[in-house]
Amino acid sequence: MTDPQSAAASAARHLAQVEESTRHLLHTAAELKPEALAEPSALPGWTRGHVLAHLARNADSLVNLLTGARTGTDVPQYASDEARDQGIERDAPRPLEVQLADLRDSHERFLAAATLMADEAWAVQVRHRFGYLFPASDIPAKRLVELEYHHVDLDAGYTPAHWPESFAAAQFRKLAAGLAEKAGLPAVELVAEDTEDRAVIGTGEPALTVEGPVRALTAWLSGRSAGDGLRRTPDTALPQLPPMG
């Protein structure tokens, strides 16, 4: 059982990061030309309009989880997978000013729902749309992940080099842990030269060491780069990583 005070403190810390991340996203989106929304993003099959629509609807889906934790009811994140996809497709073609207003408004709804949470509510287990349970205190951190990764996916000048170091380091540890002992992946030792984080992914004894800034390592682990800015010893090709879960 998560301690309510610790849960609330963790949520508050990540909420502050969500506010900062949202501010940067809105700045980037506001600089887009209106016609750029219909152009491809870095995500296959999605335009920039799809990315912005997804971020707005994701905020509302997390309001559902916050409401469920606060009221003690089982409120699904989305009505269904089909409803989620339909909402993104519906909202993707909207004009830039409408997208910006929706991003701001959905962010405010998310913050308002978080403000209503008592410490005890942050310790309540909620259900992700994929079915697994997690404490409500993780919701702000999950929102931060959506914002930072999809800001890069917008392909509008914000790159992994712009990620806050704390975000990149936390994601490095999480992604590397998920790939530890990964069947079919040759062992690779990872060394973050700026944070001194180290990890081994894959199975067996590492025959390859990959070093570089933690942001560059996280970009590669998350599929946001092909390994730019990383040094390999020996100088061989990087292994193919599975898609980020």
Side-chain angles (χ1 to χ4, degrees):
M1 178 67 179
T2 306
D3 172 64
Q5 289 187 330
S6 298
S10 174
R13 184 172 63 254
H14 285 107
L15 281 169
Q17 294 174 307
V18 165
E19 290 209 58
E20 183 74 2
S21 182
T22 302
R23 183 175 67 82
H24 289 306
L25 172 69
L26 285 168
H27 176 78
T28 297
E31 294 294 312
L32 291 171
K33 295 180 179 180
E35 61 270 20
L37 286 183
E39 295 172 354
S41 71
L43 293 176
W46 271 17
T47 65
R48 293 191 179 99
H50 283 89
V51 174
L52 295 181
H54 165 61
L55 283 169
R57 301 289 67 78
N58 170 262
D60 284 338
S61 80
L62 297 179
V63 169
N64 290 336
L65 295 184
L66 290 170
T67 301
R70 178 175 58 84
T71 61
T73 56
D74 185 12
V75 181
Q77 185 175 358
Y78 293 94
S80 65
D81 287 342
E82 293 75 18
R84 172 188 177 274
D85 295 343
Q86 289 169 4
I88 295 170
E89 291 295 334
R90 178 196 66 219
D91 295 341
R94 298 174 302 174
L96 179 59
E97 62 271 16
V98 178
Q99 296 273 22
L100 290 171
D102 193 16
L103 282 171
R104 292 191 198 97
D105 292 347
S106 59
H107 173 62
E108 291 302 321
R109 289 191 292 270
F110 177 73
L111 291 183
T115 300
L116 294 174
M117 297 280 284
D119 287 2
E120 292 76 14
W122 287 117
V124 172
Q125 296 282 309
V126 295
R127 189 177 300 278
H128 192 273
R129 74 182 186 93
F130 292 151
Y132 66 86
L133 296 173
F134 64 96
S137 56
D138 285 356
I139 292 174
K142 288 185 180 297
R143 178 60 179 168
L144 182 65
V145 166
E146 294 286 331
L147 288 163
E148 289 296 334
Y149 280 128
H150 289 318
H151 196 167
V152 171
D153 297 334
L154 199 59
D155 194 21
Y158 189 85
T159 72
H162 294 100
W163 282 335
E165 184 180 277
S166 60
F167 171 81
Q171 285 297 296
F172 170 82
R173 294 167 197 142
K174 179 179 179 181
L175 294 171
L179 292 172
E181 304 296 331
K182 182 73 173 180
L185 178 65
V188 179
E189 182 181 17
L190 306 176
V191 180
E193 59 192 11
D194 47 354
T195 64
E196 300 184 356
D197 281 292
R198 306 176 75 95
V200 174
I201 61 174
T203 58
E205 286 295 320
L208 174 65
T209 299
V210 178
E211 302 174 82
V214 72
R215 293 173 178 87
L217 286 165
T218 302
W220 176 59
L221 289 173
S222 65
R224 265 71 187 183
S225 90
D228 301 337
L230 299 176
R231 299 187 307 280
R232 305 181 301 278
T233 307
D235 189 13
T236 57
L238 292 169
Q240 183 72 36
L241 297 177
M244 181 178 169

